[in-house]
Amino acid sequence: MDAEELLDTWLANSVLRPSTRAEYRREVASFLTWCTHQQPPIDALTARPKDIAAWAADSHLTPYLDGRPFNGPDALAYLAHHHPEAARSHDRRITALTQYYETALDRGLITLPPNLTALRSGVPRPAGAKNRLNRMERAVLFTVIGGWGPTHSRNYQRDRLAVYLLLEGLRPSHVIRVDTRHLYPQPDGTWEIRSPDDHENVGKQFTLEPLTGAALKDYLKVRPEPADPDVHTLLLNHNRQPLQYQWVNKVVGQMCATHPLLADRRPDPETGEPQPPVTADTIAHTGYWDTPTPG
């Protein structure tokens, strides 16, 4: 099966809405065409993140970057700040390609999908949008977290823990500031943590749910030593430094992109309004066990 046949098979069997299938077909077909026109041509099924970044820049983003190259976090931050609608459209293209490569992996056409987390802008939801998952979406989220593994990210234990911490009710800005000095294992096997508040003081105490506690223990086994020994931040990037706020939205977006029920959210059943992409803030407002309510 070649790249175009995979596109046809994926969409023919997809649970995506017809309008989303048409949009995803347009975006992925654009990428496949771009690959064939390169010199030498690029095999789309083995394309690298830098190839996908080049396609995004050539086909969509250059007019919005004001002469900047599309070459990393600074360009994404500029796009998210100055052109948020273009950033959201870009993230949706990355979602389409993420699901395309997930299908390629499931069918045994590739052994490792490209990690597109670094290509996601993580632009926050539009102001005033409904900010909570419904019950079905939350159930799907647990499936997505459990399925997030080494084929998706070399730091998958850290990524899982971050999303579980959001479900505990920590806001994205707090998740990235959790301090290892304020992790307290309890005799019954649970964990208590204190989250820093917005002024870097020790804030509210949380007793972690068992899933979060297990994810914390898994991550602590592989957590690198920080580059600066005076840094005690729990979650670290590949350079062994504290993560930035935008990272939380990026990893949430990349996880949710792997499942169409989260990537292509249905309109609100009561109002009929379209739902915005799932963000870290959405998950923090949802929680583990509360019953989602409108508003």
Side-chain angles (χ1 to χ4, degrees):
M1 182 180 295
D2 65 19
E4 291 189 1
E5 291 171 332
L6 174 64
L7 175 60
D8 292 336
T9 302
W10 165 46
L11 293 177
N13 295 284
S14 173
V15 299
L16 295 166
R17 295 197 300 268
S19 60
T20 303
R21 287 201 298 270
E23 181 181 352
Y24 282 13
R25 176 179 294 279
R26 181 177 65 250
E27 300 296 1
V28 176
S30 167
F31 174 64
L32 301 186
T33 300
W34 180 89
C35 287
T36 62
H37 290 166
Q38 302 310 297
Q39 296 297 329
I42 294 170
D43 178 1
L45 289 177
T46 58
R48 298 161 294 178
K50 72 174 187 179
D51 299 321
I52 295 167
W55 161 72
D58 290 350
S59 303
H60 303 286
L61 299 182
T62 296
Y64 300 101
L65 292 173
D66 297 330
R68 293 168 174 78
F70 184 57
N71 60 359
D74 290 344
L76 285 166
Y78 180 87
L79 188 70
H81 180 71
H82 293 279
H83 303 283
E85 291 304 322
R88 291 188 187 98
S89 296
H90 167 71
D91 283 354
R92 195 159 173 81
R93 292 183 196 103
I94 298 302
T95 293
L97 282 169
T98 297
Q99 292 192 36
Y100 175 77
Y101 284 113
E102 285 290 318
T103 303
L105 179 66
D106 291 343
R107 292 180 176 273
L109 300 177
I110 58 175
T111 57
L112 189 67
N115 183 354
L116 304 183
T117 303
L119 297 184
R120 187 173 292 275
S121 74
V123 66
R125 68 194 178 97
K130 185 177 177 181
N131 195 26
R132 183 174 276 190
L133 299 180
N134 64 35
R135 191 173 298 182
M136 176 59 72
E137 289 171 334
R138 183 174 53 187
V140 172
L141 177 65
F142 282 113
T143 300
V144 166
I145 299 170
W148 190 255
T151 60
H152 300 97
S153 168
R154 63 180 176 181
N155 298 304
Y156 67 94
Q157 299 99 328
R158 179 201 63 193
D159 301 348
R160 287 178 181 171
L161 175 58
V163 181
Y164 281 132
L165 288 171
L166 291 169
L167 284 166
E168 296 282 354
L170 276 73
R171 303 300 293 274
S173 59
H174 295 167
V175 167
I176 62 170
R177 297 207 305 268
V178 172
D179 192 307
T180 56
R181 294 169 296 183
H182 299 297
L183 304 175
Y184 309 107
Q186 302 300 301
D188 64 357
T190 62
W191 288 78
E192 291 182 357
I193 71 170
R194 285 191 176 274
S195 169
D197 66 16
D198 293 333
H199 304 287
E200 303 294 342
N201 298 313
V202 176
K204 178 181 176 182
Q205 178 175 298
F206 292 80
T207 299
L208 300 182
E209 293 285 350
L211 282 173
T212 312
L216 173 60
K217 288 193 284 188
D218 284 345
Y219 174 62
L220 289 175
K221 294 175 186 176
V222 298
R223 176 182 178 268
E225 289 297 320
D228 182 347
D230 293 328
V231 168
H232 302 283
T233 307
L234 175 63
L235 302 179
L236 301 173
N237 64 21
H238 64 281
N239 292 321
R240 301 183 292 131
Q241 297 174 339
L243 292 155
Q244 301 298 311
Y245 174 84
Q246 285 291 91
W247 171 84
V248 187
N249 266 328
K250 288 182 180 181
V251 77
V252 166
Q254 196 64 26
M255 280 192 181
C256 291
T258 64
H259 199 292
L261 292 182
L262 294 178
D264 180 41
R265 300 180 74 190
R266 303 294 179 181
D268 183 90
E270 296 186 8
T271 67
E273 291 294 319
Q275 295 298 296
V278 178
T279 65
D281 204 46
T282 311
I283 295 172
H285 276 83
T286 298
Y288 261 98
W289 310 119
D290 64 317
T291 301
T293 55

